[in-house]
Amino acid sequence: MNILFLSSEVQGLLKTGGLADVARALPKQLKQSGHDIRVVMPCYRSLLGKNFPVVLPTLIVPLTPTDNYYCTVRQTTLDDVPVYLIEHNHFFGRHGIYDDGEQGYHDNALRFAFLSKAALELSRALDFQPDLVQANDWQTAIASYYLKHHYSYDDFFANTGSVLTVHNGSYQGKCSGDLRYALGIAPEHMQAQAFEDWGQINLLKGGLYFTDKANAVSPGYREELRQESTGHGLHMAFTAKGEDLVGILNGCDYGEWNPATDPALPFHYDADNLTGKKQVKLALQQELGLTSDANLPLFANISRLTGQKGFQMLVPALYDLVNQGVQVVLLGSGELSYALQLQEIARRFPDNVRFIYGYDEALSHRIEAASDFFMMPSVFEPCGLNQIYSLRYGSLPIVRATGGLIDTVEALAVDESNKDKATGLSFEGFNFHDLAWTLKRAEWIWYNNPELYLQMQQQAMAQSFTWQSACEQYQQLYKAAILKACGLA
Ligand code: ADP
Ligand code: GLC
């Protein structure tokens, strides 16, 4: 198949979260499965300096019959996959990606609608006729609409199917209804089942309506999207998709995340020989100025600092947990209010807690390897990748039972009846007491039942969530989308 893959971020070029990991690993796997896949993303400011070669000096992008935008297209290659970078300095040459550090850019809808349209125009300019266009999240969701309604006259896209992957339904690309014309949305498509959302435009909702098929990034999240309490206000739109909305669990790129070969680690290890893990832990403790002692349990968290990740529970629970017997390492970037709260904990417990404010990929690998427990008390989690990395790195995940976290972590039952397959701990309630209790339980297991800890660690490291398996499911979904687009299903 010819696949055009649209994403606002791609690991290795620009990453703010797991979407970038997926936009790198899934195309890589599809390429290996024999498909011709091309990725399109913005040429952000940080990428301009890299001087990637220009493949199209001028691409004309008509968003409406009267609004033509002009851009340049650069290209690079990742894992044998061509990645096209849409260069438009007014839209993408800014300091931030989605926001200025405090607020989302006021023209985000226009910026990313432009990206979506540019990708389609680019495929025509390159004579790359896509069998399938895959959009990811609200940023590129409108691509399915453009395919169906802006190019309905065009034989080039006559048999092109569309898939929308929902990585995070809480971000929806809402903007004023006044932007309807600028975004090229026809008046008849501003109805409640399409783009209209209480008078505003909702790009995710509209894209969902027009896409042939859609998927959530885990089966659990697919179900949650359809429930009123967890559907981010769009449960009716998700439910209306019926079987056209499926759940496909993300994979893990074990080439990238393998403690036996990871170039970011000073020492290596695997499930058969964990000496290297101890050494990485001692090295990290030293690097961060913590007591170097492999016997102290190290609890870690690496995260975007945002409400989704449960800091409103984690902060008070940490005050409960921290004592002389545990160490805590936190790495995060994002909302300042959470950063200040984490910084305050680190200030109060200088012997036991470190908070690193920032985004640091190499450090994130070292923390995964050095830690004994990985905390992920998410309010909701569409899939979550960090707990999957933690499993492979032998750092037992402590998760809230939600979305993809349920699908990937086998939580130890209170009576330990499933200890022969348990890979982590979980709690259900949306309150800090349950989390605090679970953190204490982890500490208790570490000190009082090390055999159980080691057994769970072995079970965790043996887990495998491969992209091969996810890729097969995506291929099925693509085929179904193409049949639908061709009017055959
Ligand atoms: P989300 O996409 O919601 O942020 P995921 O768990 O799917 O959550 O993916 C997060 C990804 O971003 C992981 O690869 C994680 O290691 C990485 N990450 C998040 N915050 C940081 C940070 N401050 N420094 C380095 N990597 C980070
Ligand atoms: C989103 C979700 C996260 C998921 C990632 C990749 O950012 O928050 O749970 O793992 O996308 O699909």
Side-chain angles (χ1 to χ4, degrees):
M1 288 183 223
N2 284 350
I3 302 162
L4 189 67
F5 190 98
L6 281 48
S7 179
S8 56
E9 43 186 274
V10 178
Q11 196 268 333
L13 294 169
L14 195 293
K15 166 169 164 179
T16 70
L19 167 60
D21 291 3
V22 176
R24 172 87 182 254
L26 176 57
K28 176 178 168 186
Q29 186 63 46
L30 286 161
K31 180 81 185 188
Q32 283 169 8
S33 305
H35 301 289
D36 188 349
I37 176 155
R38 319 271 178 108
V39 176
V40 184
M41 71 174 286
C43 191
Y44 295 112
R45 191 184 180 116
S46 61
L47 299 176
L48 278 173
K50 300 207 187 279
N51 278 323
F52 292 121
V54 171
V55 285
L56 264 184
T58 309
L59 177 72
I60 304 176
V61 183
L63 264 189
T64 76
T66 54
D67 292 327
N68 279 341
Y69 292 81
Y70 297 82
C71 60
T72 298
V73 184
R74 294 177 182 270
Q75 196 212 308
T76 181
T77 305
L78 288 176
D79 318 305
D80 225 18
V81 175
V83 182
Y84 296 96
L85 303 156
I86 304 296
E87 179 179 337
H88 185 290
N89 285 340
H90 174 65
F91 283 150
F92 302 126
R94 309 178 180 182
H95 274 293
I97 306 305
Y98 308 121
D99 55 56
D100 61 10
E102 281 176 20
Q103 283 211 322
Y105 291 122
H106 71 281
D107 56 352
N108 268 347
L110 192 61
R111 295 170 73 216
F112 289 100
F114 161 75
L115 172 72
S116 311
K117 194 72 185 283
L120 298 176
E121 281 299 323
L122 173 65
S123 73
R124 277 212 312 190
L126 296 173
D127 202 22
F128 176 72
Q129 194 167 20
D131 298 302
L132 195 282
V133 173
Q134 179 166 358
N136 291 281
D137 277 347
W138 71 266
Q139 292 91 336
T140 49
I142 199 170
S144 62
Y145 174 69
Y146 291 152
L147 264 180
K148 282 216 168 65
H149 290 283
H150 286 200
Y151 296 102
S152 49
Y153 67 92
D154 192 340
D155 281 349
F156 191 77
F157 293 115
N159 296 323
T160 303
S162 53
V163 162
L164 170 61
T165 300
V166 181
H167 300 262
N168 193 329
S170 75
Y171 301 110
Q172 301 176 356
K174 286 192 200 173
C175 62
S176 158
D178 298 343
L179 279 170
R180 184 187 64 70
Y181 183 78
L183 296 172
I185 298 172
E188 65 270 27
H189 299 132
M190 263 306 271
Q191 343 105 335
Q193 78 265 42
F195 284 103
E196 195 269 344
D197 188 356
W198 297 95
Q200 287 196 300
I201 289 169
N202 184 320
L203 292 178
L204 183 67
K205 184 166 175 257
L208 188 67
Y209 179 73
F210 289 103
T211 193
D212 294 315
K213 296 280 173 179
N215 75 294
V217 289
S218 69
Y221 190 49
R222 185 236 178 216
E223 292 316 313
E224 289 180 2
L225 288 174
R226 293 156 51 89
Q227 308 299 322
E228 185 170 6
S229 57
T230 46
H232 312 291
L234 291 185
H235 64 286
M236 302 222 318
F238 286 114
T239 309
K241 289 308 272 188
E243 296 309 308
D244 286 338
L245 172 71
V246 301
I248 302 180
L249 191 70
N250 284 333
C252 171
D253 184 345
Y254 290 113
E256 187 78 14
W257 292 93
N258 177 359
T261 55
D262 189 336
L265 303 186
F267 303 96
H268 294 106
Y269 62 95
D270 58 26
D272 294 331
N273 185 351
L274 289 161
T275 315
K277 184 167 173 71
K278 253 189 201 160
Q279 290 171 311
V280 182
K281 180 172 171 181
L282 293 171
L284 186 81
Q285 287 169 326
Q286 237 167 25
E287 174 186 339
L288 299 179
L290 289 165
T291 308
S292 257
D293 183 350
N295 295 321
L296 293 172
L298 180 59
F299 288 72
N301 174 267
I302 302 165
S303 182
R304 291 183 294 118
L305 302 180
T306 175
Q308 174 196 342
K309 301 297 178 179
F311 289 101
Q312 55 280 60
M313 291 179 273
L314 186 60
V315 169
L318 285 178
Y319 278 107
D320 231 43
L321 172 75
V322 177
N323 60 60
Q324 287 317 309
V326 302
Q327 291 180 335
V328 178
V329 172
L330 309 148
L331 167 65
S333 58
E335 288 172 37
L336 197 60
S337 62
Y338 293 123
L340 292 173
Q341 294 176 52
L342 297 177
Q343 192 185 39
E344 178 60 14
I345 301 182
R347 193 188 66 75
R348 287 211 204 167
F349 303 97
D351 295 339
N352 315 71
V353 182
R354 289 291 175 277
F355 167 53
I356 303 100
Y357 184 48
Y359 186 89
D360 186 335
E361 281 200 32
L363 179 59
S364 79
H365 285 241
R366 295 202 295 283
I367 294 176
E368 287 281 5
S371 57
D372 304 301
F373 294 101
F374 193 91
M375 305 174 290
M376 238 168 133
S378 305
V379 178
F380 69 95
E381 197 59 75
C383 178
L385 294 169
N386 269 127
Q387 83 282 10
I388 301 182
Y389 304 149
S390 305
L391 288 167
R392 183 50 64 99
Y393 280 59
S395 175
L396 295 190
I398 300 173
V399 303
R400 196 171 92 82
T402 177
L405 298 175
I406 301 179
D407 292 339
T408 50
V409 178
E410 172 75 29
L412 182 69
V414 177
D415 62 3
E416 297 180 5
S417 53
N418 64 343
K419 70 174 182 188
D420 288 340
K421 51 183 182 163
T423 57
L425 300 176
S426 88
F427 67 100
E428 284 189 12
F430 181 57
N431 64 72
F432 92 87
H433 298 287
D434 289 8
L435 170 59
W437 185 83
T438 311
L439 294 177
K440 293 264 189 204
R441 187 179 177 211
E443 184 191 357
W444 189 90
I445 292 174
W446 175 268
Y447 280 115
N448 300 294
N449 198 346
E451 302 77 34
L452 176 60
Y453 179 86
L454 287 174
Q455 181 186 345
M456 287 173 67
Q457 189 180 43
Q458 288 293 322
Q459 286 158 189
M461 292 180 81
Q463 296 301 304
S464 181
F465 299 95
T466 65
W467 274 112
Q468 281 98 312
S469 152
C471 184
E472 278 162 27
Q473 298 172 62
Y474 273 104
Q475 291 177 78
Q476 293 305 321
L477 190 66
Y478 296 166
K479 284 182 196 153
I482 294 166
L483 287 177
K484 197 158 179 220
C486 298
L488 294 170

